Amino acid sequence: MEDTLVKVEGFVQSGQPHQHVVVNVDKLVKASRDESLRRVINDCALVNADGMPVVWASRLLGTPLKERVAGVDLFEALMERAADRGWRVFLLGAREDVVLAVRDAYLRKYPHLLVAGWRNGYWDGEQEEAEVVEQIRASRADLLFVAISSPKKEIFLGRHQAAMRIPFAMGVGGTFDVAIGRIRRAPRWMQQCGLEWLFRFMQEPRRLFRRYFIDDMAFIWLFIKEAARR
């Protein structure tokens, strides 16, 4: 985490656009099947592992990652640092009531936080998307947090980061819902044991069953293929 925060500080100081991504089992499976997503991930300036199975796989493959850096934890750390450093933040994504609740919650928590702008995550067509991009560019934000689903958020940032010129842009998925308590975070012991996915599944079983128990099973085969190459 500390290495990541140091990197982000350098990105902000540079003023040049950088894209960040977290990878977990689901995103690695998606990237194995989606060339455009894989290309965006590989082009990112900073990649973190958000998922203990990814960290465990890295160790078993002989290229160990230091630790898991969860997107929700990084978001919280960066909001605190933005308030301390005077960085401007832009919040994009989720429903209008959710993004407004996130804005208000963090302004209460960090009164000196500079919120350069906010917008919900719903728009139609290229024209409206271009308007979203212009709104973000005009905000002159230092940090952009995008709370829309994968791979939409990665593709959006990969397509528009150069035009928006945000020093650090990060996809945060469902983090906004966690930040305002709409979705509960797993207890620390479950996070450390790699069981946070199970806690999430128990909260949204109908939505997450296919993802966890069907689609993401392909990760095992990906791991076997990678191990065979070593």
Side-chain angles (χ1 to χ4, degrees):
M1 175 66 80
E2 188 56 38
D3 290 345
T4 299
L5 294 173
V6 169
K7 283 277 191 183
V8 174
E9 183 117 19
F11 294 159
V12 174
Q13 290 174 355
S14 78
Q16 299 301 310
H18 299 84
Q19 182 176 348
H20 167 272
V21 68
V22 293
V23 293
N24 54 21
V25 167
D26 187 66
K27 197 167 296 178
L28 288 175
V29 170
K30 284 184 169 69
S32 73
R33 299 167 176 170
D34 184 336
E35 183 179 352
S36 59
L37 175 60
R38 186 164 65 250
R39 183 167 58 250
V40 168
I41 292 173
N42 287 335
D43 287 342
C44 281
L46 183 60
V47 181
N48 287 120
D50 182 355
M52 284 307 300
V54 179
V55 176
W56 293 331
S58 74
R59 294 170 181 170
L60 290 171
L61 292 169
T63 53
L65 295 167
K66 289 184 179 180
E67 64 178 354
R68 174 195 184 205
V69 178
V72 64
D73 294 332
L74 181 57
F75 171 75
E76 179 63 48
L78 287 173
M79 291 293 272
E80 180 180 6
R81 189 157 295 200
D84 182 61
R85 301 288 201 273
W87 297 342
R88 296 163 59 84
V89 304
F90 195 106
L91 305 170
L92 173 66
R95 300 196 316 261
E96 185 75 11
D97 62 316
V98 173
V99 70
L100 287 173
V102 172
R103 179 202 64 181
D104 294 344
Y106 280 90
L107 285 174
R108 287 193 299 270
K109 190 171 185 177
Y110 304 115
H112 299 294
L113 180 68
L114 300 175
V115 180
W118 62 90
R119 193 196 187 284
N120 66 60
Y122 300 90
W123 59 83
D124 293 316
E126 294 183 2
Q127 177 59 39
E128 194 171 2
E129 181 164 301
E131 293 171 2
V132 174
V133 170
E134 176 56 25
Q135 180 185 356
I136 295 169
R137 188 201 64 78
S139 75
R140 297 182 293 107
D142 299 298
L143 308 179
L144 168 63
F145 299 106
V146 182
I148 56 181
S149 60
S150 291
K152 292 180 181 178
K153 62 180 179 290
E154 290 84 8
I155 300 300
F156 173 82
L157 289 174
R159 182 182 300 134
H160 298 299
Q161 248 297 72
M164 294 186 297
R165 300 196 61 78
I166 304 297
F168 180 77
M170 173 185 177
V172 295
T175 293
F176 286 3
D177 288 323
V178 176
I180 61 172
R182 290 186 73 245
I183 294 178
R184 289 181 297 141
R185 191 87 190 273
R188 179 64 64 179
W189 70 267
M190 293 188 79
Q191 297 177 38
Q192 294 172 341
C193 294
L195 293 174
E196 188 162 14
W197 68 271
L198 180 59
F199 190 84
R200 285 195 61 196
F201 172 73
M202 290 188 296
Q203 294 183 76
E204 301 180 276
R206 293 183 64 181
R207 187 176 76 84
L208 295 175
F209 179 84
R210 180 177 179 83
R211 169 178 167 176
Y212 288 150
F213 294 102
I214 299 177
D215 295 341
D216 288 358
M217 290 296 101
F219 180 74
I220 298 171
W221 175 238
L222 292 175
F223 174 81
I224 292 171
K225 287 198 299 183
E226 184 62 28
R229 293 177 52 214
R230 302 294 172 119

